[in-house]
Amino acid sequence: MVHIYRNFLYVISLLSVTSFCGCGCSEQNTGGAQNNEDIENYDVKAYLTTTNRAYDLTEKYINFSDKDPMSPNTITLNPNVKYQEIDGFGAAITGSTSYNLSLMPEEKRNEFLEETFSPQKYGFSYVRISIGCSDFSLSDYTCCDTKGLENFALTIEETKYVIPTLKQILKINPDLKIMGTPWTCPKWMKVKSLEERVPYDSWTGGQLNPEYYQDYAQYFVKWIKAFNEAGVNIYSITPQNEPLNRGNSASLFMGWQEERDFVKTALGPALKAAGLNVKIYAFDHNYNYDNMAEQQKYPLKIYEDTEASKYFAGAAYHNYGGNKNELLNIHNSAPEKELVFSEASIGEWNDGRELDKSLLRDMEEITLGTVNNWCKASIVWNLMLDNDQGPHGGPGACATCYGAVDVDNESYSIVTRNSHYYIMAHMGSVVRPGAIRIKSDGYTREGLTYSAFENTDGTYAFVVCNNNAEELNLTINDGNNNFAYIIPASSIVSFNWKK
């Protein structure tokens, strides 16, 4: 019954952008004109979602006020104080995601992808894919399982599922950025440990044999070129997903010294020699470095080597351990380097399907929380899993994860949004790639989180999360124009308007 109820609400949201509300609040409580004449003449467009799904990415339209913004609840934008440029927001296009999308009726798949990736709608603009398999692939593999780089070839997972999905998305959003990340090197490149360099025939664990640094660098080059030739350009890579995690279904341990040396002596020079202008991000793991003392400040230790550092654009982080404040610590220590947030998952352990428990938490931690700590991008894990949480890999793979959306695995026609979809949609719908985060301050209180941006198209974006049991009456002032809006209790609102 819970699934039926959620799906019913989702269908309601698709059928109408009017203010259907099951919480007893009136239209005037959230402000904004709704009839066609007012929509054509609005000053501010907004998207509203409440944790009870009474408002489900519901479009709202607001006009500027002709009154001076004298309210003590005023938040003022200051475009003269600029922070980082934004690359985008999105989710991972895993093998599992691509497989599920392939089973959807064409019309339903087109509708979902158009809504998700169109810059005129929710504007997902940055995705992450695996180089070879991940724990959400249809099998364990790399693109060179037979020893020798002459045996490199893309597999059916890429050619039948991932690349066609990416090409369809690129038609919708040609500016899509794509990050590639390996979960493991080919097994023939693995050793049990650097101290005990004996062959290690397992997808899980092991380390990269330094004797194969050059071969593995060429593996990256071949993979990037193969995608380029298929019409899919790669924007960025990380040398290893979760390099401190030995236990994933496909995994490889790569401490900071190894990553430094691999990139410095092999991967960086190989990409440069091949003329591939692809960003490299270090680390790609948890804020707490999995509590390994010798791995603390992993990217900073790499940056200390000036020869290695020149190949790294910055560092990537996940949130499965530690605190997002580590992002600010890393930025303050290396302000010239970029930061991206590259993975977070939801599942049974963190109530990812229950918006009253997950929506505001995830907005505070993953999107607003990371951009307010200098991240240029924020990407969550699987875009789409089926409602039985699959398909997923073998032992060690997450069997309790949810996707940003669920698709029913009978008709593959009913899509249910989970918290990760909403948090990315609320950012992507108003914050465009190339936007600059700008200062916004004034009214503050417990449970109120917000961020402001200046887009390249001459508009401002403002995203606010109200994690309180009562509504908040805010005034937003950009120095020239202002408007008032009552932010409902337990809600997210995203605003966009011309300067």
Side-chain angles (χ1 to χ4, degrees), residues 158-213:
E158 288 87 23
T159 58
K160 184 176 180 179
Y161 298 111
V162 176
I163 288 175
T165 297
L166 293 173
K167 292 180 77 170
Q168 183 172 358
I169 295 170
L170 284 163
K171 287 182 179 179
I172 298 167
N173 187 345
D175 296 325
L176 181 78
K177 293 181 174 67
I178 301 168
M179 172 184 285
T181 299
W183 265 238
T184 179
C185 63
K187 289 192 291 183
W188 53 271
M189 296 184 184
K190 284 188 174 186
V191 290
K192 184 176 182 180
S193 69
L194 297 187
E195 297 73 29
E196 188 178 355
R197 295 191 185 182
V198 296
Y200 187 77
D201 186 21
S202 174
W203 295 115
T204 302
Q207 292 180 262
L208 175 63
N209 187 342
E211 294 180 8
Y212 288 113
Y213 276 5

Side-chain angles (χ1 to χ4, degrees), residues 282-293:
F283 191 46
D284 205 8
H285 206 175
N286 293 334
Y287 297 138
N288 67 353
Y289 309 96
D290 276 19
N291 296 315
M292 297 180 183

Side-chain angles (χ1 to χ4, degrees), residues 312-369:
F312 287 91
Y317 279 85
H318 302 181
N319 74 338
Y320 303 117
N323 190 287
K324 66 180 181 296
N325 291 339
E326 181 64 4
L327 295 168
L328 184 58
N329 296 335
I330 297 298
H331 170 77
N332 287 339
S333 297
E336 75 284 1
K337 294 295 189 181
E338 299 175 1
L339 288 168
V340 296
F341 184 82
S342 54
E343 185 184 317
S345 190
I346 46 176
E348 296 176 12
W349 71 91
N350 65 359
D351 305 302
R353 285 176 173 166
E354 308 306 321
L355 289 197
D356 60 331
K357 297 178 181 178
S358 62
L359 178 64
L360 305 180
R361 172 202 71 202
D362 291 348
M363 195 73 188
E364 292 169 341
E365 291 295 318
I366 296 173
T367 45
L368 289 176

